[in-house]
Amino acid sequence: MADEPSNGELGRLIQAMRTDMREDMDLLNRRLDKVVPMDVYTIEKNGLSERVTALEVQRVKDAERLVATRRWMIATVITVVVAVLPYLASIVRGASA
């Protein structure tokens, strides 16, 4: 009988277990308060995915616009040079004559 706990000891052990359980449950509840519900997560993930897709599309459009602008600038420079060359050639011929 010396190995068995007394009723008082059992009561204290049960109370300690209850306190530990309450602390564990409080900790679990605090952690669960930080968890995002699955439907909210899915909505946010889809929204983010749509934004990334829109940014990728915009990046492609910007790259195409940049290429078109470069081509336009090169064509403009070539056109001006071709238009000015005969004038410069006539000036050089006139100055050498």
Side-chain angles (χ1 to χ4, degrees):
M1 274 285 216
D3 293 318
E4 294 182 18
S6 67
N7 286 341
E9 288 178 79
L10 284 175
R12 285 189 294 278
L13 287 173
I14 290 173
Q15 188 59 37
M17 253 177 49
R18 284 182 179 170
T19 303
D20 285 346
M21 288 291 288
R22 282 190 187 121
E23 289 172 357
D24 291 344
M25 292 300 283
D26 287 342
L27 177 64
L28 184 60
N29 283 333
R30 283 194 302 270
R31 293 178 85 187
L32 284 175
D33 287 341
K34 295 178 184 177
V35 174
V36 177
M38 189 59 145
D39 55 344
V40 173
Y41 171 77
T42 303
I43 290 169
E44 288 179 358
K45 184 179 173 187
N46 289 340
L48 185 60
S49 177
E50 289 171 5
R51 287 178 57 198
V52 168
T53 302
L55 287 172
E56 288 173 347
V57 168
Q58 187 61 44
R59 185 189 58 80
V60 169
K61 287 180 182 178
D62 289 345
E64 290 171 355
R65 190 174 341 135
L66 182 62
V67 168
T69 302
R70 285 182 184 159
R71 285 182 183 155
W72 180 83
M73 290 176 67
I74 291 169
T76 301
V77 168
I78 290 172
T79 303
V80 169
V81 168
V82 168
V84 171
L85 274 179
Y87 174 70
L88 291 176
S90 67
I91 290 176
V92 170
R93 274 187 254 153
S96 64

